[in-house]
Each structure stands twice: as structure tokens, then as C-alpha cells.
Amino acid sequence: MTTLKARLKDDLTTAMKARDELRSSTLRLTLTAVAKEEVAGTSARELSDDEVLKVIAKEAKKRREAAEAFDKGGRAESAARELAEGELLDAYLPKQLSDDELATIVAGAVEEAKAAGAEGPRAMGAVMKIVNPKVAGLADGGRVAAAVKKQLAG
């Protein structure tokens, strides 16, 4: 078992003993998503820590989107719960890049793409190919795309 998955299970046990309903239900749902990912495809397999991180990030993003939808629908109580679950899952993810750090990485990638001959808005794909491996798991894809568009627009 991977260390992150073991940590999730240990934290679930602790939350259940402490009768922390929010934490235990969130961790249960996350472990279910991990298990579902493990059996997806042609054969069952054990997920690596990086793959477990991707599942946790996906679950956290689901919570943020659901909170936004509940907020628009006027269901503040449900939105607050979804936000709390998202924050709980964020504790398991690596620290996100600040806007300045992201802008610095994107600026370097834009220069690298220009050196390869790609310029202007059409260079978006080339720049994203350079940036994505550097910021994987450290910044949301939407934030990255917005930063690249801003840099390319000049």
C-alpha cells in the first residue's frame, strides 16, 4: 500500500474514533474514489502516491465546483459543507504555486517557445507543453492557461 493511501486510512480511523462526521465521510468518499480508480481499466492495480494525489486533487476540485453550484442555487449550508470538505482534502495536496511563482515559470516557458520559433497567441499549445510538466499538481489547469494567455497577449 502506498504511503499516502495508508495515511488516508489512518486518518479515517482517527476521525471515526473521534466521531468527526465531516472528516470521516470525506475520507471515506476519497478512499472509495481511490479504490474505484484502482479497479478501473482492464486489470486491478495498486496506485502510486502520484496517482493517489491526482485522485485527491480531482475530488477537491469536485467539492469546489459543487460549492459554487450550491452557492448559485441559494443553498449556503450545502455550499459551506462542500467548501469544508475541499479544504480538508487540500491538506493532503502539495502547496499551490503563488501567482508570482506561476508567472515566473510561464515567462520562462514563453521565452523557450519563442526560441523554438513559436510566437503570439498561436504559441499557446507549445508553451502549455513546456509549462504543464513543471507545475503538475502545483497549480490548477485553468490558472495555468490564464497565465499563459496573459503572457502571450503581452
Side-chain angles (χ1 to χ4, degrees):
M1 187 182 324
T2 61
T3 56
L4 187 54
K5 186 176 171 186
R7 182 175 154 213
L8 287 171
K9 286 186 176 193
D10 291 343
D11 289 352
L12 173 60
T13 303
T14 305
M16 288 169 64
K17 287 179 180 175
R19 298 191 189 281
D20 185 344
E21 192 275 328
L22 175 72
R23 182 176 290 275
S24 61
S25 68
T26 303
L27 292 176
R28 245 189 221 115
L29 287 170
T30 304
L31 283 167
T32 301
V34 169
K36 189 175 180 181
E37 190 68 28
E38 286 178 333
V39 297
T42 56
S43 63
R45 63 192 170 86
E46 184 79 25
L47 295 182
S48 68
D49 272 349
D50 288 340
E51 292 170 318
V52 173
L53 268 177
K54 286 179 185 174
V55 171
I56 294 171
K58 190 166 52 171
E59 290 295 310
K61 184 177 180 183
K62 280 184 195 175
R63 300 310 192 286
R64 285 191 297 273
E65 290 171 351
E68 198 174 296
F70 280 133
D71 205 31
K72 286 181 182 174
R75 295 180 56 193
E77 191 175 302
S78 297
R81 179 172 174 100
E82 292 291 334
L83 281 175
E85 288 180 5
E87 288 173 11
L88 199 148
L89 291 174
D90 284 342
Y92 293 94
L93 298 172
K95 184 180 171 288
Q96 297 288 295
L97 292 173
S98 70
D99 289 337
D100 293 337
E101 292 168 327
L102 182 60
T104 304
I105 292 170
V106 169
V110 168
E111 291 303 316
E112 198 175 318
K114 281 184 182 176
E119 282 193 53
R122 282 188 244 129
M124 179 85 175
V127 174
M128 290 297 285
K129 282 182 185 174
I130 297 168
V131 172
N132 278 337
K134 295 179 183 177
V135 299
L138 301 175
D140 184 49
R143 275 184 62 212
V144 175
V148 170
K149 283 180 186 174
K150 183 179 175 185
Q151 290 274 339
L152 290 175

